[in-house]
């Protein structure tokens, strides 16, 4: 299955991607994760992306398109993949088309802006293994420590309230038009993000059952 996950920042794409990945045994490709790793390593890519990411802006299209090209040409993607956070603009979607990628579905997780702001304030991440938690909705067993690798959790710089608002603005103006783009191709599936993670997962499972 070749799937794109769409949705505002904090809508739960990363968490759902993890679950879909386990269920269908296909890898998740997250451009955000890749860029954060590059920043941590201090590579040229990381340096180039840093100011955009920290201000909540999108990294230039050619940078993320390069990342995706590299991933999609690897063997691990030959049975399918989930794209989490890509494409985020029409030119990125067109670039994916130009790579000859034939998608099965584009799943959009819908969450109201007010909810997003509330959720982002409680988000905690592990910089070591990339796991994401929420202090109320998906807490760790030991407060502030990653369940998977024991590393102390941190708050993403771009989860600061003012940055979240600018990321939402960017989402509505640049990313959301992708819904129409994919709806016209008959690929769009919409799921309402629920209060409880398990409820959203159940809706996602039902929406994707025809691909099993
Ligand atoms: P995410 O982890 O998906 O929320 O992405 C975090 C940040 O990485 C975004 O706010 C952007 O600055 C950058 N980023 C991730 N994916 C893309 C993309 N497809 N296009 C442009 N910027 C991206």
């Amino acid at each position: 299955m070749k799937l794109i996950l769409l949705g505002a920042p904090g809508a739960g794409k990363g968490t759902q991607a993890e679950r879909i990945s386990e269920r269908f045994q296909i890898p998740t490709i997250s451009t955000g994760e890749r860029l954060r790793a590059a920043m941590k390593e201090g590579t040229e890519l990381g340096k180039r992306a840093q100011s955009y990411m920290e201000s909540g802006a999108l990294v230039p299209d050619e940078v993320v398109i390069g990342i995706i090209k590299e991933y999609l040409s690897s063997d691990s993607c030959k049975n399918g993949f989930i794209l989490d956070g890509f494409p985020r603009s029409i030119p990125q979607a067109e670039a994916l088309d130009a790579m000859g990628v034939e998608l099965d579905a584009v799943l959009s997780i819908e969450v109201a802006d007010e909810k997003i702001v509330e959720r982002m304030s409680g988000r905690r991440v592990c910089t070591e293994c990339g796991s994401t938690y929420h202090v109320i909705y998906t807490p760790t067993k030991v407060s502030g420590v990653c369940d998977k690798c024991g590393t102390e959790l941190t708050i993403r710089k771009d989860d600061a309230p003012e940055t979240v608002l600018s990321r939402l603005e960017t989402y509505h103006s640049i990313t959301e038009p992708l819904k129409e783009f994919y709806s016209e191709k008959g690929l769009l599936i919409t799921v309402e993000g629920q209060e409880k993670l398990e409820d959203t997962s159940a809706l996602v499972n039902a929406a994707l059952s025809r691909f099993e």
Side-chain angles (χ1 to χ4, degrees):
M1 181 177 62
K2 294 177 181 152
L3 176 74
I4 286 176
L5 283 183
L6 273 185
K13 298 188 296 294
T15 311
Q16 292 305 327
E18 270 180 35
R19 296 183 171 210
I20 301 167
S21 169
E22 271 171 33
R23 182 168 164 218
F24 287 88
Q25 292 294 303
I26 48 174
T28 298
I29 304 160
S30 159
T31 39
E33 273 303 315
R34 175 76 184 91
L35 292 167
R36 275 188 291 280
M39 266 164 57
K40 198 174 150 205
E41 289 156 14
T43 62
E44 275 312 308
L45 172 67
K47 285 182 200 145
R48 188 148 180 225
Q50 187 150 9
S51 61
Y52 297 101
M53 291 182 74
E54 287 182 352
S55 67
L58 291 183
V59 171
D61 286 339
E62 74 273 12
V63 175
V64 282
I65 290 168
I67 294 175
I68 290 294
K69 269 194 180 148
E70 197 184 310
Y71 268 118
L72 295 189
S73 61
S74 75
D75 257 8
S76 61
C77 290
K78 65 178 190 303
N79 293 330
F81 50 79
I82 304 159
L83 295 181
D84 164 16
F86 183 95
R88 254 180 161 99
S89 67
I90 299 280
Q92 291 180 18
E94 287 169 346
L96 197 60
D97 273 352
M99 287 176 221
V101 173
E102 290 193 11
L103 296 163
D104 292 298
V106 175
L107 181 75
S108 175
I109 305 175
E110 305 285 322
V111 177
D113 284 7
E114 309 81 71
K115 280 272 160 222
I116 296 281
V117 174
E118 186 189 309
R119 283 186 188 188
M120 303 285 256
S121 63
R123 181 150 81 171
R124 300 290 180 272
V125 293
C126 174
T127 52
E128 199 52 44
C129 73
S131 298
T132 304
Y133 303 92
H134 190 282
V135 290
I136 299 165
Y137 304 119
T138 50
T140 47
K141 293 191 188 94
V142 178
S143 169
V145 179
C146 179
D147 283 348
K148 289 190 187 147
C149 70
T151 304
E152 196 173 326
L153 300 178
T154 53
I155 300 176
R156 266 169 57 172
K157 249 190 186 158
D158 57 350
D159 279 350
E162 37 328 329
T163 317
V164 168
L165 291 178
S166 115
R167 290 169 72 196
L168 277 173
E169 237 176 74
T170 306
Y171 171 72
H172 290 305
S173 59
I174 302 176
T175 307
E176 212 169 13
L178 288 174
K179 289 200 283 189
E180 201 180 324
F181 181 89
Y182 287 120
S183 170
E184 280 168 4
K185 293 178 188 283
L187 290 171
L188 189 72
I189 304 172
T190 304
V191 160
E192 291 288 331
Q194 305 294 307
E195 197 71 25
K196 288 200 188 117
L197 181 65
E198 292 312 325
D199 294 343
T200 308
S201 297
L203 292 178
V204 168
N205 276 343
L208 298 180
S209 58
R210 66 185 151 108
F211 297 104
E212 268 182 325

